[in-house]
Amino acid sequence: MLEKLMDKIDKNCSFVDKELVKKAYNIAYEAHKEQKRESGEPYIIHPLEVASILAEMGMDTSTIVAGILHDVIEDTIFTYEDIEKEFSSEVADLVEGVTKLGKIKYKTKEEQQADNIRKMLLAMAKDVRVILIKLADRLHNMRTLKYMTEDKQKEKAKETFDIFAPLAHRLGISKIKWELEDLAFRYINSEEYYDLVKKIAEKRVEREAYIETITKELSENLLKSGIKSDIEGRPKHFYSIYRKMTNQNKTLEQIFDLTAVRILVETVKDCYAALGIVHTMYKPIPGRFKDYIAMPKPNMYQSLHSTVIGPQGKPFEIQIRTEEMHRTAEYGIAAHWKYKEGKPMEVAQEASAEGNMDLKLSWLREILEWQRETADATEFMEGFKIDLFSDEIFVFTPKGNVINLPSESTPIDFAYKIHTDIGNKCVGAKVNSKMVPLDYHLKTGEIVEIVTSSTSKGPSMDWINMAKSNQAKSKIRAWFKKVKREEYVGRGRELLEKEAKKQGYNFGEIAKGDIIINILKRYSFNSIEDLYAAAGMGDISSSSIVSKIRDIYEKGNKVQLSNEEIMNNANVKSNKKEQNKVNRKNPSAPGIIVKGASNLLIRFSKCCNPVPGDEIVGYITKGRGVSVHRKDCSNIANLIQDEENKVVEVSWGESKSGAYIAEIQVKSEDRDGLLAEIMEIITETKTNLYAINAKPIRGIYALVNIKLKIPNIEHLKDLMKRIKRLKGVTEVYRTKN
C-alpha cells in the first residue's frame, strides 16, 4: 500500500518529500499496530488510503504526511508535541485541526456535533487543508461503511449528506462530492439506490453507443475548425439523477440527459468557438445555456453548459472547458497546491494566488462571523446547513459587478453583502430601475440598486425574517445589540431576577463573585452587562442561565441534606391551597407514589413525558416538589451524576386513570398520503391527538412529530406498532431530550 501511495504521488503531485512520507508511515504503523478496523483489517490501511486520496488531489508534503498521521492524537498515545518534534508545527496543526473534541461531556449529540463543526471551521479558516484531510477521511470511511451496524451506517450517511458533501461542493471538489452523495444515498435509501442502478445498467450499452456517435461527430467538426479537443461522455451520478426525478416528479424514462458530453480545449477562446460549432450542429434548447466562465460559481467552477437536441431527437448536455478549468472543477481549492510546494511561479503570481484563495473562502469568514453570536447548538447547526445547502443566484450592481447570494434573497441581503453601512441605511431598492419592496425575491441576472438615507433610523426587526442569508441576519442583530443595548441590559436583568425568584432564589445573592466569573467565562462574555444584554435579546434563555448559576451556588455551599430534609424544604410552600391548585391543573399526578413520603407536590417532567408503564425516577426540586422523569431521560441522567442526593424512588400507584402526554417521532420515505394514514390509525385506536408536525428532509424522507394524550404505555406501544407497519415507515420512536 505504501508503494501504491508513492506511485500516486509520482503521478499527481509535485515537489513532495517522499522520505518524510515514509517516516510518517513508520510512526503511524507503530502507533496503530495494535488496532484493527471494524472489517478486521489492520488500522494502518485507513490512514494510507486517506493519504492516497490526498495524493490523487495533488496535495503537498505536509498534507499527505498529516493524512497518514490524522488519527494518532485522537486514538493513540502520540501528542501534538510529538508530531511537532518529529515533523513541524505545520503538520502538527493540521493533525490537531482534524482531531475531534472527544474528551468533553455534552448533554446532547447535537451539541457535540456543533462544537466539532465549530472547531473544524476555525481550524479550516487558519488552514483550509484541514477540511481536505477531513473530506478524504470521511470518503474512505464511507467506502468501508458496510462493516458498521445499520444504525451507524444511517447516522454516518446522514451526517455526510448534511455536512461533508455540501462542504466538498462549497470547496469545488466535485470528484469527492459526487462519490460522498452516491455512497450516502446507498445507505439512506438503499432500495431506491439499487433499483436505480439496475434500471440505468439495463440501457447502458444503448446509451454508450449514442454518446459514441455524438463524440465522433463533434471530434470531426472541431478538428475541421482547427480546435484541438479531448471529448468524453460522463455518466451522471446516481444521487443527481434521483434528485432530479424527485424534484421534477419524473420517471427515469422521462430524464434524457443521463450522460453529459464534456469537451476539453486549450484556451478560453476555443471554449466559445467550440460552443458555436456545437450550436451549429445541434439545436440548443432555449433557457438551458449557462456561462460559468464569464460568471464563475463561488466554488471556482468554470465551464460552458448547454443542453441541445441530438440525433434521434434526444436531448443531451454539453460541457465545454479548458484543462485547467477541468482540474479546478474536479479538485476545487485543492488544485491550488498542485505547484505550490516547489514555488515555480513568480512571486507576484504566488501573491495573486494567495489573494484569490482568500476571496474564494469569503463564505467561510461569513459563517464564522455569525456563528460566534450563536450560542444555541440547534440554531447553529440549522444555520450552518442552510448556508451550505442553499442554491445561489447571481445579480449585478449598477456598475456591473457580480454579487452571489442564496436563492430567494431579498434587497436586504444584497445591501448587507455590499457593506454593513449600506444595509443599516437602506430605505428602499430598485431592480432593473424599478422600485421594489424590500421583501422582493431577487432573480439571477437582475441589476439591483439600494436606496440609502443618512436620516434612516436603521433596520427594522422585521428584516431578520425577510433576510435569507445568515450574514445579513447577523448584522441586523448586531445593530440592535449596539443601538438598543441599554434597553436589552435592563430587560435581561429583569428576566434573570424574575426567573431566579421563580426558582426560589434572590438573583443578587447567588450571582456574584467566582460564580458570575465562571458563568461569564462559560458563555464567553466580557461583563455581566453582556450577559444581561444576551438574555434581553433572547440569545440565551434566562432559565438556563439561572439554572447553571443555581447549580454552582448549591455545590459551593456543600450543604448535604438527607432526602427527608430536602423533601421537607420542598414542601415549605406546599400548603393545601397550592396542592388543590396543582391537582386541578394535573389530575393525573396522584397516580405516583413517592417512597417514604406523602402529600408532596408532584409534576411530570415535560422533557420526557412519562406515562404509566414507564420506568420512572423522581427528582426533588426547590419549592416545586418532586419532578417525575423516565429513567432513560438524558436530563435526569445528568442530574443523578451531579446531585444524587436529590433523587428519590417513585412508582406508579394503583390509580392510573387519566390522560398522559407522550411524544413520538415517525421516520418514513416522503410519500403522498402518509399523514392521512397516520391520522386514520390515531382515530382507530381512539387516541387523543394533541399536536402533529411533519417536514420533508431534502425530498428523501419525512419526519413526523406527534404529541398524544394516552392512558398508558401499552396503548402507546400498540399505536407505534401499527404506524410502523405502514408502507415506507422505517422508524417509530419516543422522543426525549
Side-chain angles (χ1 to χ4, degrees), residues 586-621:
N586 190 358
S588 54
I592 295 293
I593 297 169
V594 180
K595 188 175 180 181
S598 60
N599 297 324
L600 287 175
L601 282 171
I602 295 168
R603 62 189 183 89
F604 293 114
S605 169
K606 289 181 181 178
C607 60
C608 57
N609 292 317
V611 299
D614 282 331
E615 288 189 37
I616 52 175
V617 66
Y619 174 76
I620 301 162
T621 61

Side-chain angles (χ1 to χ4, degrees), residues 365-467:
R365 288 200 307 276
E366 287 168 13
I367 289 178
L368 287 169
E369 193 176 299
W370 67 258
Q371 72 89 20
R372 287 190 192 103
E373 301 173 9
T374 311
D376 182 72
T378 305
E379 187 186 337
F380 168 74
M381 288 309 298
E382 285 302 315
F384 178 64
K385 289 171 191 175
I386 288 167
D387 260 18
L388 288 183
F389 271 112
S390 291
D391 290 329
E392 291 183 304
I393 58 166
F394 300 88
V395 293
F396 296 92
T397 67
K399 291 183 179 179
N401 296 326
V402 180
I403 302 294
N404 62 288
L405 294 164
S407 62
E408 298 188 358
S409 284
T410 63
I412 294 166
D413 296 288
F414 178 88
Y416 280 104
K417 181 86 173 184
I418 300 297
H419 197 280
T420 305
D421 284 345
I422 290 175
N424 289 340
K425 292 176 182 177
C426 171
V427 292
K430 291 180 183 179
V431 171
N432 297 336
S433 301
K434 291 181 181 177
M435 290 298 291
V436 295
L438 290 177
D439 61 356
Y440 172 82
H441 287 174
L442 300 173
K443 299 174 190 68
T444 291
E446 291 179 329
I447 300 168
V448 187
E449 183 182 350
I450 299 299
V451 181
T452 61
S453 170
S454 56
T455 58
S456 165
K457 292 180 180 177
S460 158
M461 280 298 280
D462 293 340
W463 288 13
I464 292 174
N465 296 323
M466 290 182 195

Side-chain angles (χ1 to χ4, degrees), residues 383-648:
F384 178 64
K385 289 171 191 175
I386 288 167
D387 260 18
L388 288 183
F389 271 112
S390 291
D391 290 329
E392 291 183 304
I393 58 166
F394 300 88
V395 293
F396 296 92
T397 67
K399 291 183 179 179
N401 296 326
V402 180
I403 302 294
N404 62 288
L405 294 164
S407 62
E408 298 188 358
S409 284
T410 63
I412 294 166
D413 296 288
F414 178 88
Y416 280 104
K417 181 86 173 184
I418 300 297
H419 197 280
T420 305
D421 284 345
I422 290 175
N424 289 340
K425 292 176 182 177
C426 171
V427 292
K430 291 180 183 179
V431 171
N432 297 336
S433 301
K434 291 181 181 177
M435 290 298 291
V436 295
L438 290 177
D439 61 356
Y440 172 82
H441 287 174
L442 300 173
K443 299 174 190 68
T444 291
E446 291 179 329
I447 300 168
V448 187
E449 183 182 350
I450 299 299
V451 181
T452 61
S453 170
S454 56
T455 58
S456 165
K457 292 180 180 177
S460 158
M461 280 298 280
D462 293 340
W463 288 13
I464 292 174
N465 296 323
M466 290 182 195
K468 177 71 178 176
S469 65
N470 283 309
Q471 181 195 14
K473 290 178 180 182
S474 173
K475 288 179 177 178
I476 294 164
R477 286 193 187 102
W479 186 87
F480 277 102
K481 281 180 184 177
K482 185 179 177 183
V483 174
K484 297 199 170 186
R485 181 176 168 80
E486 284 186 21
E487 183 185 325
Y488 288 125
V489 166
R491 186 189 298 174
R493 185 189 290 111
E494 190 180 319
L495 285 170
L496 291 169
E497 287 173 353
K498 194 174 178 182
E499 180 60 33
K501 192 174 181 182
K502 188 177 170 186
Q503 295 191 27
Y505 288 94
N506 181 302
F507 186 76
E509 286 178 10
I510 62 172
K512 58 187 178 182
D514 290 342
I515 295 175
I516 202 66
I517 290 169
N518 190 314
I519 292 294
L520 294 178
K521 279 182 183 176
R522 185 168 192 159
Y523 287 101
S524 302
F525 291 125
N526 295 321
S527 66
I528 195 165
E529 282 74 22
D530 291 342
L531 178 69
Y532 289 150
M537 268 290 284
D539 287 348
I540 305 175
S541 74
S542 55
S543 61
S544 68
I545 295 172
V546 173
S547 294
K548 284 182 175 66
I549 292 173
R550 183 202 67 200
D551 290 346
I552 299 169
Y553 175 77
E554 288 180 354
K555 280 181 185 177
N557 285 343
K558 292 180 182 176
V559 176
Q560 297 297 319
L561 301 175
S562 67
N563 281 351
E564 189 180 348
E565 289 172 320
I566 295 169
M567 286 190 283
N568 286 337
N569 290 340
N571 277 291
V572 169
K573 297 178 183 177
S574 304
N575 55 37
K576 199 169 184 179
K577 185 179 176 182
E578 286 175 314
Q579 183 67 59
N580 291 337
K581 187 178 173 184
V582 171
N583 286 342
R584 281 197 303 274
K585 282 187 178 179
N586 190 358
S588 54
I592 295 293
I593 297 169
V594 180
K595 188 175 180 181
S598 60
N599 297 324
L600 287 175
L601 282 171
I602 295 168
R603 62 189 183 89
F604 293 114
S605 169
K606 289 181 181 178
C607 60
C608 57
N609 292 317
V611 299
D614 282 331
E615 288 189 37
I616 52 175
V617 66
Y619 174 76
I620 301 162
T621 61
K622 187 175 177 68
R624 291 184 294 162
V626 175
S627 174
V628 180
H629 293 255
R630 278 162 40 195
K631 273 192 178 177
D632 62 352
C633 175
S634 56
N635 281 346
I636 197 67
N638 292 327
L639 292 168
I640 289 171
Q641 191 175 354
D642 294 339
E643 298 174 300
E644 196 175 346
N645 64 318
K646 290 191 178 182
V647 177
V648 291

